[in-house]
Amino acid sequence: MSRAFTREEDSENAIAGIGERPISHHRNLVTQRGLAMIDAELAALREELGRAEKRADRERIALISRDLRYWTARRESAELSVPEPGSDLVRFGMGVTLEGDDGRNVHWKIVGEDEADPAKGTISHVSPMALALFGKKVGETAVVNGKEWEIVKLSDS
């Protein structure tokens, strides 16, 4: 058996086994930025699909098509949620500044699952921290993983 034949066979097996991207069972709440991110991802994937089709790159076509199905489903289920201006309760889309029991401050913006990136200061609305904060006011505390956090400031961003 030639080596080229083996590689083609491996490639076909890889394409068949890529599977679908899992879609969360939670409500797909998104911020305005999150909705724009989904739209941009869809546009980029469509362009990339066109390039892959021109090259007849079956593996890339399969991967991009899978991602397009994921992002299309996420776009269709997206629920834009904008926090009420001036709200004194922690809600989706708000920024929350917290002070830990060690005196250290952190700031999180509560966003949709696809938009969340803790390294950039955004957390998912279904994360333990966000769930512990929802409905609380400045001065109240939330306990997450045994650590107490006091809410010191709320913002629209």
Side-chain angles (χ1 to χ4, degrees):
M1 182 178 342
S2 79
R3 189 164 177 82
F5 181 74
T6 304
R7 284 188 183 162
E8 183 178 328
E9 188 176 280
D10 289 345
S11 178
E12 286 175 7
N13 289 338
I15 293 170
I18 63 170
E20 293 298 317
R21 289 182 63 174
I23 296 178
S24 174
H25 63 278
H26 298 285
R27 285 179 64 195
N28 187 16
L29 297 177
V30 296
T31 64
Q32 191 67 45
R33 182 179 171 275
L35 193 59
M37 182 201 76
I38 292 171
D39 289 339
E41 187 67 30
L42 282 166
L45 285 167
R46 287 182 188 115
E47 285 182 27
E48 193 176 346
L49 180 62
R51 288 190 298 272
E53 286 173 339
K54 285 180 185 174
R55 292 189 315 267
D57 184 343
R58 293 184 329 184
E59 188 169 345
R60 273 312 286 154
I61 291 168
L63 289 169
I64 296 165
S65 295
R66 177 203 58 188
D67 289 348
L68 271 169
R69 287 188 298 275
Y70 173 83
W71 288 110
T72 298
R74 295 300 280 171
R75 181 63 174 94
E76 289 171 355
S77 66
E79 297 176 45
L80 180 61
S81 181
V82 179
E84 184 180 315
S87 176
D88 64 346
L89 297 175
V90 177
R91 300 198 185 285
F92 178 88
M94 295 183 81
V96 183
T97 303
L98 306 167
E99 183 177 305
D101 47 18
D102 60 0
R104 185 175 64 97
N105 280 8
V106 295
H107 180 82
W108 298 110
K109 182 172 181 177
I110 302 171
V111 298
E113 291 177 275
D114 295 313
E115 187 180 357
D117 184 350
K120 294 182 180 176
T122 56
I123 58 172
S124 167
H125 67 101
V126 297
S127 69
M129 178 63 82
L131 294 174
L133 293 170
F134 280 137
K136 296 190 184 287
K137 297 180 178 187
V138 170
E140 293 186 299
T141 60
V143 177
V144 178
N145 293 332
K147 186 170 182 177
E148 189 171 281
W149 297 91
E150 180 183 350
I151 301 169
V152 295
K153 183 180 175 189
L154 299 178
S155 61
D156 294 335
S157 62

